Amino acid sequence: MAGLKKSMSFSLMGILAVNCLILTALWVQKAAALPVTSHCKIDESDFQRPYFINRTFMLAEEASFADNNTDVRLIGDELFQGVKMQDRCYLMKEILNFTLGEVLIPQSDRFQPHMQEVVSFLTKLSSQLSSCHISGNGQRIQKNIQTLKETVKQLGEGGEIKVIGELNLLFMFLRNSCV
Ligand SMILES: *[C@@H]1O[C@H](CO)[C@@H](O)[C@H](O)[C@H]1NC(C)=O
Ligand SMILES: *[C@@H]1O[C@H](CO)[C@@H](O)[C@H](O)[C@H]1NC(C)=O
Ligand SMILES: *[C@@H]1O[C@H](CO)[C@@H](O)[C@H](O)[C@H]1NC(C)=O
């Protein structure tokens, strides 16, 4: 009786061990299937900052009063056309990088006092995406980003004002894509 019980518990151990191996194998497979894109993530708590959200939206509102071109929208669903769900955060990372580097920082003596706080807030979000890359060549993504950059360039100073006026949209798209 004792012998039977012992062999049963041995076989139970065997089953558990095999299950454990299968789970490990599945986990390894899953990790391999989700390569670098897993770095494309921002902690949700970083978006839950009422003070900085308020400043971002105030700045956007202020700039949108100065934006007299209502025909063009920069941040919208067209940005995601042909872009896979898992690459959207990378795309938004690139838009954020452009917004900070080409628009907000060069314009940082304007729209004070909000600008400075918004720049530091967005820089913090951006730094969380420093190891976010895509696996493929991302031609479609680059094309969509390029379209936005060219539109801004064509609009000249009005384009930069429009980028600032759409910071509220940028914030929401970033949250939806990266959390
Ligand atoms: C931001 O906060 C101020 C008060 O500090 C308030 O008057 C304003 O309506 C708020 N704006 C937004 C967009 O939340
Ligand atoms: C919009 O503003 C720019 C300068 O900020 C000006 O050159 C342009 O004529 C304005 N366009 C309209 C339609 O008011
Ligand atoms: C934008 O990205 C480039 C290349 O990764 C980096 O060198 C630059 O510092 C970034 N700019 C900002 C404002 O984060």
PDB file of all heavy atoms in Angstrom, residues 24-56:
ATOM      1  N   THR A  24       7.128  26.283 -19.372  1.00  0.00           N
ATOM      2  CA  THR A  24       8.373  27.010 -19.591  1.00  0.00           C
ATOM      3  C   THR A  24       8.618  27.192 -21.086  1.00  0.00           C
ATOM      4  O   THR A  24       8.972  28.278 -21.547  1.00  0.00           O
ATOM      5  CB  THR A  24       9.564  26.266 -18.949  1.00  0.00           C
ATOM      6  OG1 THR A  24       9.226  25.992 -17.605  1.00  0.00           O
ATOM      7  CG2 THR A  24      10.821  27.087 -18.999  1.00  0.00           C
ATOM      8  N   ALA A  25       8.379  26.085 -21.828  1.00  0.00           N
ATOM      9  CA  ALA A  25       8.600  26.149 -23.278  1.00  0.00           C
ATOM     10  C   ALA A  25       7.678  27.187 -23.908  1.00  0.00           C
ATOM     11  O   ALA A  25       8.104  27.996 -24.735  1.00  0.00           O
ATOM     12  CB  ALA A  25       8.358  24.776 -23.894  1.00  0.00           C
ATOM     13  N   LEU A  26       6.400  27.189 -23.477  1.00  0.00           N
ATOM     14  CA  LEU A  26       5.442  28.158 -24.027  1.00  0.00           C
ATOM     15  C   LEU A  26       5.874  29.580 -23.700  1.00  0.00           C
ATOM     16  O   LEU A  26       5.795  30.477 -24.529  1.00  0.00           O
ATOM     17  CB  LEU A  26       4.046  27.919 -23.437  1.00  0.00           C
ATOM     18  CG  LEU A  26       3.264  26.771 -24.046  1.00  0.00           C
ATOM     19  CD1 LEU A  26       1.946  26.593 -23.300  1.00  0.00           C
ATOM     20  CD2 LEU A  26       2.999  27.033 -25.523  1.00  0.00           C
ATOM     21  N   TRP A  27       6.348  29.738 -22.493  1.00  0.00           N
ATOM     22  CA  TRP A  27       6.739  31.069 -22.039  1.00  0.00           C
ATOM     23  C   TRP A  27       7.928  31.573 -22.856  1.00  0.00           C
ATOM     24  O   TRP A  27       7.952  32.714 -23.306  1.00  0.00           O
ATOM     25  CB  TRP A  27       7.078  31.005 -20.549  1.00  0.00           C
ATOM     26  CG  TRP A  27       7.455  32.333 -20.004  1.00  0.00           C
ATOM     27  CD1 TRP A  27       6.604  33.351 -19.661  1.00  0.00           C
ATOM     28  CD2 TRP A  27       8.773  32.817 -19.777  1.00  0.00           C
ATOM     29  NE1 TRP A  27       7.313  34.420 -19.227  1.00  0.00           N
ATOM     30  CE2 TRP A  27       8.648  34.136 -19.278  1.00  0.00           C
ATOM     31  CE3 TRP A  27      10.044  32.278 -19.936  1.00  0.00           C
ATOM     32  CZ2 TRP A  27       9.754  34.912 -18.948  1.00  0.00           C
ATOM     33  CZ3 TRP A  27      11.140  33.048 -19.598  1.00  0.00           C
ATOM     34  CH2 TRP A  27      10.989  34.344 -19.115  1.00  0.00           C
ATOM     35  N   VAL A  28       8.899  30.659 -23.083  1.00  0.00           N
ATOM     36  CA  VAL A  28      10.079  31.032 -23.859  1.00  0.00           C
ATOM     37  C   VAL A  28       9.660  31.409 -25.285  1.00  0.00           C
ATOM     38  O   VAL A  28      10.105  32.408 -25.836  1.00  0.00           O
ATOM     39  CB  VAL A  28      11.117  29.881 -23.874  1.00  0.00           C
ATOM     40  CG1 VAL A  28      12.204  30.153 -24.898  1.00  0.00           C
ATOM     41  CG2 VAL A  28      11.728  29.713 -22.490  1.00  0.00           C
ATOM     42  N   GLN A  29       8.722  30.589 -25.841  1.00  0.00           N
ATOM     43  CA  GLN A  29       8.239  30.858 -27.189  1.00  0.00           C
ATOM     44  C   GLN A  29       7.570  32.227 -27.274  1.00  0.00           C
ATOM     45  O   GLN A  29       7.803  32.992 -28.189  1.00  0.00           O
ATOM     46  CB  GLN A  29       7.201  29.793 -27.536  1.00  0.00           C
ATOM     47  CG  GLN A  29       7.295  29.306 -28.954  1.00  0.00           C
ATOM     48  CD  GLN A  29       6.378  28.125 -29.154  1.00  0.00           C
ATOM     49  OE1 GLN A  29       5.438  27.910 -28.389  1.00  0.00           O
ATOM     50  NE2 GLN A  29       6.636  27.360 -30.179  1.00  0.00           N
ATOM     51  N   LYS A  30       6.741  32.499 -26.255  1.00  0.00           N
ATOM     52  CA  LYS A  30       6.015  33.761 -26.249  1.00  0.00           C
ATOM     53  C   LYS A  30       7.000  34.937 -26.164  1.00  0.00           C
ATOM     54  O   LYS A  30       6.861  35.928 -26.848  1.00  0.00           O
ATOM     55  CB  LYS A  30       5.050  33.789 -25.069  1.00  0.00           C
ATOM     56  CG  LYS A  30       3.953  34.795 -25.262  1.00  0.00           C
ATOM     57  CD  LYS A  30       2.894  34.673 -24.189  1.00  0.00           C
ATOM     58  CE  LYS A  30       1.968  35.871 -24.273  1.00  0.00           C
ATOM     59  NZ  LYS A  30       1.434  36.264 -23.002  1.00  0.00           N
ATOM     60  N   ALA A  31       8.004  34.777 -25.318  1.00  0.00           N
ATOM     61  CA  ALA A  31       8.997  35.840 -25.161  1.00  0.00           C
ATOM     62  C   ALA A  31       9.741  36.074 -26.470  1.00  0.00           C
ATOM     63  O   ALA A  31      10.048  37.203 -26.824  1.00  0.00           O
ATOM     64  CB  ALA A  31       9.975  35.468 -24.055  1.00  0.00           C
ATOM     65  N   ALA A  32       9.986  34.967 -27.205  1.00  0.00           N
ATOM     66  CA  ALA A  32      10.699  35.100 -28.469  1.00  0.00           C
ATOM     67  C   ALA A  32       9.814  35.773 -29.521  1.00  0.00           C
ATOM     68  O   ALA A  32      10.287  36.509 -30.376  1.00  0.00           O
ATOM     69  CB  ALA A  32      11.158  33.744 -28.966  1.00  0.00           C
ATOM     70  N   ALA A  33       8.481  35.512 -29.424  1.00  0.00           N
ATOM     71  CA  ALA A  33       7.567  36.075 -30.419  1.00  0.00           C
ATOM     72  C   ALA A  33       7.315  37.560 -30.167  1.00  0.00           C
ATOM     73  O   ALA A  33       6.827  38.268 -31.015  1.00  0.00           O
ATOM     74  CB  ALA A  33       6.249  35.313 -30.407  1.00  0.00           C
ATOM     75  N   LEU A  34       7.603  38.015 -28.964  1.00  0.00           N
ATOM     76  CA  LEU A  34       7.406  39.432 -28.629  1.00  0.00           C
ATOM     77  C   LEU A  34       8.777  40.060 -28.461  1.00  0.00           C
ATOM     78  O   LEU A  34       9.246  40.216 -27.333  1.00  0.00           O
ATOM     79  CB  LEU A  34       6.680  39.557 -27.289  1.00  0.00           C
ATOM     80  CG  LEU A  34       5.177  39.455 -27.214  1.00  0.00           C
ATOM     81  CD1 LEU A  34       4.744  39.547 -25.763  1.00  0.00           C
ATOM     82  CD2 LEU A  34       4.516  40.563 -28.009  1.00  0.00           C
ATOM     83  N   PRO A  35       9.461  40.404 -29.531  1.00  0.00           N
ATOM     84  CA  PRO A  35      10.841  40.819 -29.346  1.00  0.00           C
ATOM     85  C   PRO A  35      10.954  42.211 -28.733  1.00  0.00           C
ATOM     86  O   PRO A  35      10.469  42.447 -27.643  1.00  0.00           O
ATOM     87  CB  PRO A  35      11.414  40.766 -30.764  1.00  0.00           C
ATOM     88  CG  PRO A  35      10.247  40.908 -31.673  1.00  0.00           C
ATOM     89  CD  PRO A  35       9.004  40.582 -30.887  1.00  0.00           C
ATOM     90  N   VAL A  36      11.559  43.113 -29.441  1.00  0.00           N
ATOM     91  CA  VAL A  36      11.848  44.432 -28.907  1.00  0.00           C
ATOM     92  C   VAL A  36      10.624  45.275 -28.612  1.00  0.00           C
ATOM     93  O   VAL A  36      10.684  46.178 -27.801  1.00  0.00           O
ATOM     94  CB  VAL A  36      12.774  45.165 -29.876  1.00  0.00           C
ATOM     95  CG1 VAL A  36      14.198  44.699 -29.657  1.00  0.00           C
ATOM     96  CG2 VAL A  36      12.368  44.927 -31.304  1.00  0.00           C
ATOM     97  N   THR A  37       9.496  44.962 -29.271  1.00  0.00           N
ATOM     98  CA  THR A  37       8.300  45.774 -29.078  1.00  0.00           C
ATOM     99  C   THR A  37       7.879  45.821 -27.615  1.00  0.00           C
ATOM    100  O   THR A  37       7.171  46.731 -27.218  1.00  0.00           O
ATOM    101  CB  THR A  37       7.117  45.251 -29.901  1.00  0.00           C
ATOM    102  OG1 THR A  37       7.250  43.851 -30.028  1.00  0.00           O
ATOM    103  CG2 THR A  37       7.040  45.922 -31.246  1.00  0.00           C
ATOM    104  N   SER A  38       8.309  44.829 -26.810  1.00  0.00           N
ATOM    105  CA  SER A  38       7.883  44.818 -25.414  1.00  0.00           C
ATOM    106  C   SER A  38       8.464  46.004 -24.643  1.00  0.00           C
ATOM    107  O   SER A  38       8.010  46.318 -23.562  1.00  0.00           O
ATOM    108  CB  SER A  38       8.268  43.500 -24.755  1.00  0.00           C
ATOM    109  OG  SER A  38       9.612  43.251 -25.008  1.00  0.00           O
ATOM    110  N   HIS A  39       9.479  46.655 -25.190  1.00  0.00           N
ATOM    111  CA  HIS A  39      10.001  47.865 -24.544  1.00  0.00           C
ATOM    112  C   HIS A  39       9.144  49.082 -24.861  1.00  0.00           C
ATOM    113  O   HIS A  39       9.406  50.161 -24.363  1.00  0.00           O
ATOM    114  CB  HIS A  39      11.431  48.152 -25.005  1.00  0.00           C
ATOM    115  CG  HIS A  39      12.399  47.111 -24.562  1.00  0.00           C
ATOM    116  ND1 HIS A  39      12.707  46.908 -23.240  1.00  0.00           N
ATOM    117  CD2 HIS A  39      13.120  46.204 -25.264  1.00  0.00           C
ATOM    118  CE1 HIS A  39      13.583  45.927 -23.151  1.00  0.00           C
ATOM    119  NE2 HIS A  39      13.846  45.476 -24.360  1.00  0.00           N
ATOM    120  N   CYS A  40       8.177  48.899 -25.744  1.00  0.00           N
ATOM    121  CA  CYS A  40       7.339  50.024 -26.151  1.00  0.00           C
ATOM    122  C   CYS A  40       6.192  50.162 -25.184  1.00  0.00           C
ATOM    123  O   CYS A  40       5.050  49.790 -25.488  1.00  0.00           O
ATOM    124  CB  CYS A  40       6.846  49.824 -27.586  1.00  0.00           C
ATOM    125  SG  CYS A  40       8.202  49.796 -28.767  1.00  0.00           S
ATOM    126  N   LYS A  41       6.482  50.665 -24.014  1.00  0.00           N
ATOM    127  CA  LYS A  41       5.471  50.711 -22.980  1.00  0.00           C
ATOM    128  C   LYS A  41       5.755  51.877 -22.031  1.00  0.00           C
ATOM    129  O   LYS A  41       6.899  52.116 -21.680  1.00  0.00           O
ATOM    130  CB  LYS A  41       5.530  49.392 -22.198  1.00  0.00           C
ATOM    131  CG  LYS A  41       4.207  48.964 -21.644  1.00  0.00           C
ATOM    132  CD  LYS A  41       4.287  47.518 -21.210  1.00  0.00           C
ATOM    133  CE  LYS A  41       3.024  47.010 -20.549  1.00  0.00           C
ATOM    134  NZ  LYS A  41       1.987  47.938 -20.192  1.00  0.00           N
ATOM    135  N   ILE A  42       4.690  52.558 -21.647  1.00  0.00           N
ATOM    136  CA  ILE A  42       4.821  53.610 -20.637  1.00  0.00           C
ATOM    137  C   ILE A  42       3.909  53.223 -19.487  1.00  0.00           C
ATOM    138  O   ILE A  42       2.780  52.766 -19.703  1.00  0.00           O
ATOM    139  CB  ILE A  42       4.408  54.990 -21.204  1.00  0.00           C
ATOM    140  CG1 ILE A  42       5.326  55.395 -22.361  1.00  0.00           C
ATOM    141  CG2 ILE A  42       4.442  56.060 -20.106  1.00  0.00           C
ATOM    142  CD1 ILE A  42       4.972  56.716 -23.013  1.00  0.00           C
ATOM    143  N   ASP A  43       4.407  53.385 -18.285  1.00  0.00           N
ATOM    144  CA  ASP A  43       3.614  53.045 -17.118  1.00  0.00           C
ATOM    145  C   ASP A  43       2.362  53.915 -17.048  1.00  0.00           C
ATOM    146  O   ASP A  43       2.448  55.126 -17.217  1.00  0.00           O
ATOM    147  CB  ASP A  43       4.470  53.268 -15.874  1.00  0.00           C
ATOM    148  CG  ASP A  43       4.089  52.306 -14.797  1.00  0.00           C
ATOM    149  OD1 ASP A  43       4.441  51.126 -14.944  1.00  0.00           O
ATOM    150  OD2 ASP A  43       3.406  52.737 -13.842  1.00  0.00           O
ATOM    151  N   GLU A  44       1.222  53.270 -16.782  1.00  0.00           N
ATOM    152  CA  GLU A  44      -0.035  54.018 -16.761  1.00  0.00           C
ATOM    153  C   GLU A  44       0.009  55.151 -15.727  1.00  0.00           C
ATOM    154  O   GLU A  44      -0.548  56.224 -15.958  1.00  0.00           O
ATOM    155  CB  GLU A  44      -1.209  53.080 -16.463  1.00  0.00           C
ATOM    156  CG  GLU A  44      -2.538  53.803 -16.612  1.00  0.00           C
ATOM    157  CD  GLU A  44      -3.734  52.882 -16.634  1.00  0.00           C
ATOM    158  OE1 GLU A  44      -3.577  51.693 -16.295  1.00  0.00           O
ATOM    159  OE2 GLU A  44      -4.815  53.364 -16.987  1.00  0.00           O
ATOM    160  N   SER A  45       0.713  54.910 -14.628  1.00  0.00           N
ATOM    161  CA  SER A  45       0.749  55.927 -13.561  1.00  0.00           C
ATOM    162  C   SER A  45       1.374  57.234 -14.063  1.00  0.00           C
ATOM    163  O   SER A  45       1.076  58.300 -13.541  1.00  0.00           O
ATOM    164  CB  SER A  45       1.517  55.396 -12.360  1.00  0.00           C
ATOM    165  OG  SER A  45       2.848  55.127 -12.723  1.00  0.00           O
ATOM    166  N   ASP A  46       2.242  57.125 -15.088  1.00  0.00           N
ATOM    167  CA  ASP A  46       2.860  58.336 -15.614  1.00  0.00           C
ATOM    168  C   ASP A  46       1.875  59.216 -16.383  1.00  0.00           C
ATOM    169  O   ASP A  46       2.162  60.380 -16.645  1.00  0.00           O
ATOM    170  CB  ASP A  46       4.047  57.984 -16.507  1.00  0.00           C
ATOM    171  CG  ASP A  46       5.229  57.557 -15.671  1.00  0.00           C
ATOM    172  OD1 ASP A  46       5.591  58.301 -14.748  1.00  0.00           O
ATOM    173  OD2 ASP A  46       5.759  56.467 -15.922  1.00  0.00           O
ATOM    174  N   PHE A  47       0.761  58.625 -16.758  1.00  0.00           N
ATOM    175  CA  PHE A  47      -0.259  59.422 -17.444  1.00  0.00           C
ATOM    176  C   PHE A  47      -1.260  59.998 -16.451  1.00  0.00           C
ATOM    177  O   PHE A  47      -2.071  60.831 -16.808  1.00  0.00           O
ATOM    178  CB  PHE A  47      -0.999  58.555 -18.474  1.00  0.00           C
ATOM    179  CG  PHE A  47      -0.183  58.286 -19.709  1.00  0.00           C
ATOM    180  CD1 PHE A  47       0.474  57.092 -19.873  1.00  0.00           C
ATOM    181  CD2 PHE A  47      -0.080  59.253 -20.706  1.00  0.00           C
ATOM    182  CE1 PHE A  47       1.219  56.842 -21.019  1.00  0.00           C
ATOM    183  CE2 PHE A  47       0.664  59.016 -21.845  1.00  0.00           C
ATOM    184  CZ  PHE A  47       1.318  57.813 -22.003  1.00  0.00           C
ATOM    185  N   GLN A  48      -1.222  59.488 -15.226  1.00  0.00           N
ATOM    186  CA  GLN A  48      -2.218  59.933 -14.245  1.00  0.00           C
ATOM    187  C   GLN A  48      -1.662  61.061 -13.396  1.00  0.00           C
ATOM    188  O   GLN A  48      -1.494  60.912 -12.187  1.00  0.00           O
ATOM    189  CB  GLN A  48      -2.654  58.742 -13.391  1.00  0.00           C
ATOM    190  CG  GLN A  48      -3.427  57.744 -14.216  1.00  0.00           C
ATOM    191  CD  GLN A  48      -3.536  56.380 -13.563  1.00  0.00           C
ATOM    192  OE1 GLN A  48      -2.794  56.063 -12.653  1.00  0.00           O
ATOM    193  NE2 GLN A  48      -4.465  55.571 -14.045  1.00  0.00           N
ATOM    194  N   ARG A  49      -1.318  62.159 -14.064  1.00  0.00           N
ATOM    195  CA  ARG A  49      -0.772  63.295 -13.340  1.00  0.00           C
ATOM    196  C   ARG A  49      -1.615  64.519 -13.660  1.00  0.00           C
ATOM    197  O   ARG A  49      -1.311  65.254 -14.605  1.00  0.00           O
ATOM    198  CB  ARG A  49       0.678  63.517 -13.759  1.00  0.00           C
ATOM    199  CG  ARG A  49       1.566  62.387 -13.293  1.00  0.00           C
ATOM    200  CD  ARG A  49       2.955  62.528 -13.809  1.00  0.00           C
ATOM    201  NE  ARG A  49       3.767  61.432 -13.310  1.00  0.00           N
ATOM    202  CZ  ARG A  49       4.430  61.458 -12.155  1.00  0.00           C
ATOM    203  NH1 ARG A  49       4.404  62.528 -11.406  1.00  0.00           N
ATOM    204  NH2 ARG A  49       5.122  60.412 -11.776  1.00  0.00           N
ATOM    205  N   PRO A  50      -2.665  64.703 -12.874  1.00  0.00           N
ATOM    206  CA  PRO A  50      -3.642  65.750 -13.178  1.00  0.00           C
ATOM    207  C   PRO A  50      -2.999  67.113 -13.428  1.00  0.00           C
ATOM    208  O   PRO A  50      -3.402  67.819 -14.348  1.00  0.00           O
ATOM    209  CB  PRO A  50      -4.524  65.787 -11.933  1.00  0.00           C
ATOM    210  CG  PRO A  50      -4.356  64.462 -11.299  1.00  0.00           C
ATOM    211  CD  PRO A  50      -2.979  63.969 -11.655  1.00  0.00           C
ATOM    212  N   TYR A  51      -1.972  67.434 -12.649  1.00  0.00           N
ATOM    213  CA  TYR A  51      -1.358  68.752 -12.809  1.00  0.00           C
ATOM    214  C   TYR A  51      -0.748  68.903 -14.197  1.00  0.00           C
ATOM    215  O   TYR A  51      -0.995  69.897 -14.896  1.00  0.00           O
ATOM    216  CB  TYR A  51      -0.285  68.959 -11.723  1.00  0.00           C
ATOM    217  CG  TYR A  51       0.461  70.269 -11.877  1.00  0.00           C
ATOM    218  CD1 TYR A  51      -0.085  71.456 -11.409  1.00  0.00           C
ATOM    219  CD2 TYR A  51       1.702  70.301 -12.526  1.00  0.00           C
ATOM    220  CE1 TYR A  51       0.586  72.654 -11.562  1.00  0.00           C
ATOM    221  CE2 TYR A  51       2.381  71.502 -12.687  1.00  0.00           C
ATOM    222  CZ  TYR A  51       1.822  72.674 -12.206  1.00  0.00           C
ATOM    223  OH  TYR A  51       2.482  73.863 -12.366  1.00  0.00           O
ATOM    224  N   PHE A  52       0.043  67.902 -14.615  1.00  0.00           N
ATOM    225  CA  PHE A  52       0.719  68.005 -15.912  1.00  0.00           C
ATOM    226  C   PHE A  52      -0.250  67.829 -17.082  1.00  0.00           C
ATOM    227  O   PHE A  52      -0.070  68.431 -18.140  1.00  0.00           O
ATOM    228  CB  PHE A  52       1.870  66.999 -15.995  1.00  0.00           C
ATOM    229  CG  PHE A  52       3.045  67.414 -15.165  1.00  0.00           C
ATOM    230  CD1 PHE A  52       3.315  66.796 -13.962  1.00  0.00           C
ATOM    231  CD2 PHE A  52       3.860  68.459 -15.583  1.00  0.00           C
ATOM    232  CE1 PHE A  52       4.389  67.206 -13.185  1.00  0.00           C
ATOM    233  CE2 PHE A  52       4.937  68.874 -14.811  1.00  0.00           C
ATOM    234  CZ  PHE A  52       5.205  68.243 -13.610  1.00  0.00           C
ATOM    235  N   ILE A  53      -1.275  67.024 -16.868  1.00  0.00           N
ATOM    236  CA  ILE A  53      -2.291  66.886 -17.916  1.00  0.00           C
ATOM    237  C   ILE A  53      -2.986  68.231 -18.110  1.00  0.00           C
ATOM    238  O   ILE A  53      -3.178  68.700 -19.227  1.00  0.00           O
ATOM    239  CB  ILE A  53      -3.311  65.777 -17.560  1.00  0.00           C
ATOM    240  CG1 ILE A  53      -2.599  64.429 -17.521  1.00  0.00           C
ATOM    241  CG2 ILE A  53      -4.459  65.751 -18.562  1.00  0.00           C
ATOM    242  CD1 ILE A  53      -3.446  63.302 -16.980  1.00  0.00           C
ATOM    243  N   ASN A  54      -3.299  68.864 -17.004  1.00  0.00           N
ATOM    244  CA  ASN A  54      -3.926  70.186 -17.078  1.00  0.00           C
ATOM    245  C   ASN A  54      -3.024  71.165 -17.844  1.00  0.00           C
ATOM    246  O   ASN A  54      -3.488  71.882 -18.716  1.00  0.00           O
ATOM    247  CB  ASN A  54      -4.227  70.694 -15.656  1.00  0.00           C
ATOM    248  CG  ASN A  54      -4.765  72.109 -15.646  1.00  0.00           C
ATOM    249  OD1 ASN A  54      -4.033  73.063 -15.894  1.00  0.00           O
ATOM    250  ND2 ASN A  54      -6.071  72.256 -15.378  1.00  0.00           N
ATOM    251  N   ARG A  55      -1.735  71.183 -17.521  1.00  0.00           N
ATOM    252  CA  ARG A  55      -0.816  72.111 -18.211  1.00  0.00           C
ATOM    253  C   ARG A  55      -0.738  71.786 -19.706  1.00  0.00           C
ATOM    254  O   ARG A  55      -0.705  72.686 -20.544  1.00  0.00           O
ATOM    255  CB  ARG A  55       0.600  72.038 -17.615  1.00  0.00           C
ATOM    256  CG  ARG A  55       0.678  72.446 -16.159  1.00  0.00           C
ATOM    257  CD  ARG A  55       0.234  73.882 -15.975  1.00  0.00           C
ATOM    258  NE  ARG A  55      -0.843  73.899 -14.994  1.00  0.00           N
ATOM    259  CZ  ARG A  55      -1.082  74.863 -14.145  1.00  0.00           C
ATOM    260  NH1 ARG A  55      -0.327  75.951 -14.152  1.00  0.00           N
ATOM    261  NH2 ARG A  55      -2.094  74.790 -13.302  1.00  0.00           N
ATOM    262  N   THR A  56      -0.703  70.499 -20.028  1.00  0.00           N
ATOM    263  CA  THR A  56      -0.615  70.101 -21.428  1.00  0.00           C
ATOM    264  C   THR A  56      -1.858  70.568 -22.195  1.00  0.00           C
ATOM    265  O   THR A  56      -1.762  71.129 -23.287  1.00  0.00           O
ATOM    266  CB  THR A  56      -0.482  68.558 -21.534  1.00  0.00           C
ATOM    267  OG1 THR A  56       0.627  68.149 -20.733  1.00  0.00           O
ATOM    268  CG2 THR A  56      -0.256  68.112 -22.971  1.00  0.00           C
TER     269      THR A  56
END
